[in-house]
Structure formats: C-alpha cells, structure tokens
Amino acid sequence: MELSRTHHPIQVIRPQRETDRQWLLDLWNREWGGETMVSRGRVYRLEDVEAVIAVQGGAYVGAATFVVLDEECELLSLNSQVEGIGVGTRLLQAVEDAAKQAGVSRVTLITSNDNLKAMRFYQRRGYRFHAVHVGAIDEARKRKPSIPHLGLDGIPLHDEIEMRKVW
C-alpha cells in the first residue's frame, strides 16, 4: 500500500489486536534480530515491554517500545517506516506522555556508536548525551550473537551511547 505524505493523519495506538502484536514481532525480528533487546546489560523480551504503534491510512508505519523502571522510562526501540512525515516524533511524544503519566521525570535511551542519524534526531527533540558505555555492545553480543559487528556506514559496533531527556 502506497502511503500518502499528506492525506492521512498519523495515529498512535497501543497494540490491542493479534495483528498489531504480530506486526510488532515481525518488526523486532527484522530490525532488531529477534524477540529480545539487550540494553545496559539487561535483556528485555518483546512480550514484557510496553509499545505504541503508528498507523497511517490503515497501514503500520512505525513503533516504539519502552519500559518504566523506578524513576525513569527507557526507550528500547523506535522504528519509523516512512521518513519525513513525523512518525518518529509522534511515537517519541507518545512514549514521553506515557512516562509522565507513570510519574517519572526522565526518558533514557541507548543508541549505538554508529547511529549518527539517531543522535541528531534525539538532540533536536531535547535529549542530551549522558554517558558512553565503552565496549557495551561487544558484551551484549555475547548474550545476543545476532548483533552485527559492522553498523551504519561500515562503522564497527562497540559502544552504547546513553541519551536522556529530563523534565
């Protein structure tokens, strides 16, 4: 289905139907190499995290997954299937709204050292660099061997970049 850049509004929903959950599972398998995510040394299973899905004109166009732990919300994944129309921004706002509703005052995320595009995206939306976890991806690869050795633009994957937004 061809998606219009102007005719259909983007809706953000929580997965409710089996088709929503299956699409999210397929997305994680395709984009993240399986049903688990390793972040800051913790392993998360898709079935144990919260999610929001972006829909435009009846088609899935993106998703974000997150967990609320203690005083923070951790954004685990953000995927936009259509760039330049606000899908990522809408999903990120939905996660931030969920964090505020849960009573936490910050959202933390991890991106890889090769993902310069993500770093720009998050900085433009108020996120700041918080820490560099040197060698964290090398350690995560021991738990999840499907993590590639080379990332975007042929940059070797080694380190996690932690970003944070506080309100």
Side-chain angles (χ1 to χ4, degrees):
M1 169 185 294
E2 180 67 29
L3 296 174
S4 167
R5 292 187 170 271
T6 58
H7 296 355
H8 299 287
I10 299 165
Q11 298 176 297
V12 177
I13 62 169
R14 292 288 186 128
Q16 297 173 359
R17 302 172 302 157
E18 184 55 36
T19 54
D20 298 339
R21 288 185 279 279
Q22 186 60 52
W23 181 82
L24 192 56
L25 175 62
D26 293 343
L27 177 74
W28 259 38
N29 279 316
R30 184 175 63 252
E31 298 292 329
W32 303 105
E35 297 177 34
T36 60
M37 178 84 55
V38 180
S39 176
R40 297 192 290 178
R42 291 186 218 126
V43 178
Y44 297 98
R45 297 179 320 166
L46 179 57
E47 64 196 52
D48 298 329
V49 303
E50 295 187 59
V52 288
I53 296 175
V55 180
Q56 183 189 39
Y60 298 113
V61 293
T65 58
F66 60 98
V67 292
V68 176
L69 302 168
D70 301 323
E71 293 95 40
E72 75 178 7
C73 173
E74 183 174 1
L75 176 66
L76 297 172
S77 67
L78 180 71
N79 295 93
S80 175
Q81 309 292 81
V82 183
E83 292 190 17
I85 62 170
V87 173
T89 300
R90 291 285 309 277
L91 289 166
L92 187 58
Q93 186 61 59
V95 171
E96 291 175 4
D97 291 346
K100 290 173 185 174
Q101 288 175 350
V104 299
S105 61
R106 69 178 181 250
V107 173
T108 299
L109 64 94
I110 296 292
T111 191
S112 52
N113 61 279
D114 67 321
N115 202 341
L116 305 176
K117 187 175 180 180
M119 291 180 225
R120 286 191 300 272
F121 173 84
Y122 292 116
Q123 286 183 84
R124 287 194 304 263
R125 286 151 186 87
Y127 286 76
R128 299 185 64 187
F129 292 101
H130 182 72
V132 176
H133 303 285
V134 176
I137 295 176
D138 297 320
E139 288 301 313
R141 195 176 289 112
K142 292 175 184 175
R143 292 179 157 186
K144 186 177 176 182
S146 63
I147 297 172
H149 289 273
L150 283 180
L152 300 170
D153 300 317
I155 297 172
L157 286 174
H158 296 291
D159 312 314
E160 291 181 342
I161 309 298
E162 184 175 344
M163 300 181 78
R164 182 175 286 177
K165 183 175 182 177
V166 180
W167 51 81

